[in-house]
Amino acid sequence: MQKPSNARGTRDFGPKEMAKRNYVFNIIRKHFEQFGFQAIETPAIENLSTLTGKYGDEGDQLLFKILNSGDYLSKLTDQDFQEGSKKFTYKVSEKGLRYDLTVPFARFVSMNRNDLAFPFRRYQIQPVWRADRPQKGRYREFYQCDADIIGSNSLLNEAELITLFQAIFNSLNLKANLVINSRKVLAGVVDVLGMNKHFVDFAVAIDKLDKIGWDAVAKELIEKGFTEAQCAVLAELILFEGNNLAKIDKLTSFFNGNTQGLAGLKEIEDVLGFIQQNGFVNTNIIFDYRLARGLSYYTGLIFEGKAIDIPFGSIAGGGRYDNLTTDFGLPNMSGVGLSFGIERMIDVMDALNLFPEIPFSGSKILFAYFDEAGQTQAFQYVNELRKLGIPSEIYPEVAKIKKPFEFADKKRIPFVAVLGEQEMAQNKMNLKNMESGEQELLSLQELMEKIK
């Protein structure tokens, strides 16, 4: 028999891991709701026509496609097999697993436009799938936690999302920088160089800067049509170091009146001005005009969160998108969103020992007994505690008392109540604190007061 295993890039989560995940989920969800975001869910499966063409060529290649049901090859001709893998794929597959939560959200908004109050604030916590190469911090199935505001052009929305970022990471005691930029700034850079037609090539190459370094990025740009002289100009810009104001000054001089670039800078300045009033110390909000974000649907400000104390890649990201709903028949519906990468956030928190002591058993007390009479009484007691909202559990078998104690210890249940013949004769039970070892003879009412 073949040894069972997970599909590559996927993982199981036991009770201990789920306790940590739920701890982070609950904090994120609490802040989402405090900021007025409303929960939605969308299907795991979307039509490929919904997903393709939204993420750029590299993103489209990472879509998990689902074969059509039934005899999906019966209607194909010899010509179909000769047209190449891409055309062939779309003839045998009409659906795919969602790549992110933003594109399905755009579809949702378009389909439900008459039922939503705009600007619409939504949050969504669901898994997504990418046919990527699995490696540390990168999985094929992972959760995203997204907050989006759609139906408003106001830059106050960007400031709200930055403040949401601060609130969540502050609650998690996780130190992180949020790097911001504008796609308009990047467009202004290529416009100054006279390379407007190569904006996508430029954005894709610059997005790899942290991974491969400037020399490799410059080489890729030259291969795409940039000259060495243009790369030399870019190098002076890309390699410049300074604070937010110094970078704004540097770019203002570089743009020399370029309308598009200066519009992007104005967005950055306005948002940085807004967040001065959010009540947080915002020294971790960093303007970096080298930030590109690989997804092609971004049109304005973009964000990327990175842990400060450990190099771990992006742990949050997002940005402004103006045209996503247009493809679904709803033009002029600008939105902006921020996605929290729960998997990497948990990995970073684990590496830095940031999790508090989290009970991974939901039960506060386990009832144990020596005989069937004790079993019957324990079943009554456990249900009385549950009615009071006290998570309680009963050991299901008459067994030597060592077994339920070992069971409680393994599950980290903090209390065990033992019903023996003598205890039951007094309408009491022996309550043991599993951490201190202390034991007390208590009535049911006294026990309730003790552990609630």
Side-chain angles (χ1 to χ4, degrees), residues 44 61 199 245 268 280 438:
Q61 292 173 18
F199 173 77
L245 291 178
I268 297 293
F280 290 96
E438 178 187 356

Side-chain angles (χ1 to χ4, degrees), residues 22 25 30 39 51 77 84 109 114 139 154 159 272 282 290 306 313 342 350 366 375 413 428-429:
N22 286 332
F25 281 136
K30 178 190 75 173
L51 301 174
T77 66
V109 169
N114 296 325
Y139 308 101
S154 172
L272 290 177
N282 293 298
R290 298 170 295 189
K306 296 184 178 182
I342 189 80
D350 263 332
L366 174 72
Q375 186 182 57
I413 299 174
K428 293 189 176 184
M429 65 201 83

Side-chain angles (χ1 to χ4, degrees), residues 190-222:
V190 295
D191 192 25
V192 169
L193 296 174
M195 298 294 285
N196 286 327
K197 293 181 180 180
H198 291 272
F199 173 77
V200 173
D201 293 331
F202 174 71
V204 169
I206 290 295
D207 194 48
K208 303 173 185 175
L209 186 63
D210 287 345
K211 297 177 183 177
I212 64 177
W214 167 248
D215 289 342
V217 168
K219 181 180 178 182
E220 183 172 327
L221 288 174
I222 289 172

Side-chain angles (χ1 to χ4, degrees), residues 110-393:
S110 302
M111 293 177 63
N112 296 275
R113 67 188 78 176
N114 296 325
D115 300 322
L116 303 175
F118 294 103
F120 177 51
R121 293 181 175 226
R122 88 81 162 84
Y123 80 82
Q124 200 168 343
I125 301 176
Q126 287 187 273
V128 299
W129 294 266
R130 296 182 185 177
D132 211 343
R133 184 176 65 183
Q135 52 188 288
K136 184 178 181 181
R138 188 183 295 274
Y139 308 101
R140 287 178 169 171
E141 179 187 57
F142 56 95
Y143 269 77
Q144 286 187 338
C145 305
D146 281 21
D148 284 72
I149 306 170
I150 195 165
S152 168
N153 295 309
S154 172
L155 291 170
L156 186 63
N157 297 322
E158 276 85 345
E160 283 272 77
L161 291 176
I162 291 173
T163 306
L164 175 66
F165 175 92
Q166 299 286 55
I168 288 173
F169 279 84
N170 186 63
S171 292
L172 293 172
N173 294 315
L174 177 54
K175 295 178 182 177
N177 289 328
L178 185 66
V179 182
I180 66 172
N181 192 17
S182 172
R183 278 295 182 98
K184 296 174 184 176
V185 168
L186 294 172
V189 170
V190 295
D191 192 25
V192 169
L193 296 174
M195 298 294 285
N196 286 327
K197 293 181 180 180
H198 291 272
F199 173 77
V200 173
D201 293 331
F202 174 71
V204 169
I206 290 295
D207 194 48
K208 303 173 185 175
L209 186 63
D210 287 345
K211 297 177 183 177
I212 64 177
W214 167 248
D215 289 342
V217 168
K219 181 180 178 182
E220 183 172 327
L221 288 174
I222 289 172
E223 291 172 352
K224 295 294 184 179
F226 286 74
T227 67
E228 290 188 5
Q230 289 170 331
C231 286
V233 173
L234 281 173
E236 183 182 351
L237 198 64
I238 297 299
L239 301 177
F240 176 79
E241 299 289 343
N243 61 24
N244 291 345
L245 291 178
K247 291 172 185 173
I248 290 172
D249 289 342
K250 178 76 172 176
L251 272 177
T252 301
S253 175
F254 175 83
F255 286 139
N256 191 27
N258 181 274
T259 304
Q260 194 166 204
L262 291 176
L265 280 184
K266 179 67 166 54
E267 290 180 346
I268 297 293
E269 290 180 289
D270 287 350
V271 170
L272 290 177
F274 275 133
I275 65 172
Q276 290 179 10
Q277 311 303 322
N278 68 8
F280 290 96
V281 177
N282 293 298
T283 53
N284 62 324
I285 308 303
I286 300 169
F287 169 44
D288 188 344
Y289 46 74
R290 298 170 295 189
L291 177 66
R293 300 286 298 165
L295 298 178
S296 62
Y297 54 64
Y298 293 129
T299 56
L301 259 72
I302 47 180
F303 316 101
E304 187 160 279
K306 296 184 178 182
I308 293 175
D309 294 325
I310 185 172
F312 216 91
S314 172
I315 57 176
R320 168 73 63 170
Y321 46 88
D322 289 328
N323 306 311
L324 263 182
T325 59
T326 302
D327 289 345
F328 304 115
L330 182 60
N332 304 316
M333 185 62 69
S334 182
V336 60
L338 185 59
S339 178
F340 295 85
I342 189 80
E343 317 298 344
R344 288 185 176 181
M345 289 169 66
I346 290 173
D347 287 347
V348 170
M349 291 178 68
D350 263 332
L352 297 174
N353 295 314
L354 295 181
F355 281 103
E357 189 67 32
I358 304 172
F360 61 84
S361 170
S363 301
K364 292 190 69 173
I365 185 170
L366 174 72
F367 283 86
Y369 41 82
F370 297 97
D371 51 32
E372 291 184 359
Q375 186 182 57
T376 301
Q377 185 67 69
F379 189 61
Q380 176 189 336
Y381 285 165
V382 74
N383 284 292
E384 289 191 38
L385 263 63
R386 288 167 180 164
K387 288 176 184 177
L388 294 175
I390 300 173
S392 307
E393 196 169 334

Side-chain angles (χ1 to χ4, degrees), residues 20-74:
K20 292 180 178 179
R21 293 173 71 79
N22 286 332
Y23 169 80
V24 178
F25 281 136
N26 290 338
I27 286 177
I28 291 175
R29 185 180 289 107
K30 178 190 75 173
H31 285 294
F32 281 171
E33 293 177 353
Q34 284 179 345
F35 276 68
F37 292 90
Q38 296 175 287
I40 71 164
E41 287 193 353
T42 58
I45 299 171
E46 293 279 352
N47 293 321
L48 278 182
S49 58
T50 296
L51 301 174
T52 52
K54 313 300 191 303
Y55 308 107
D57 290 340
E58 290 189 17
D60 283 352
Q61 292 173 18
L62 300 181
L63 291 173
F64 271 111
K65 302 171 182 68
I66 300 171
L67 287 174
N68 295 337
S69 57
D71 189 1
Y72 55 86
L73 295 177
S74 61

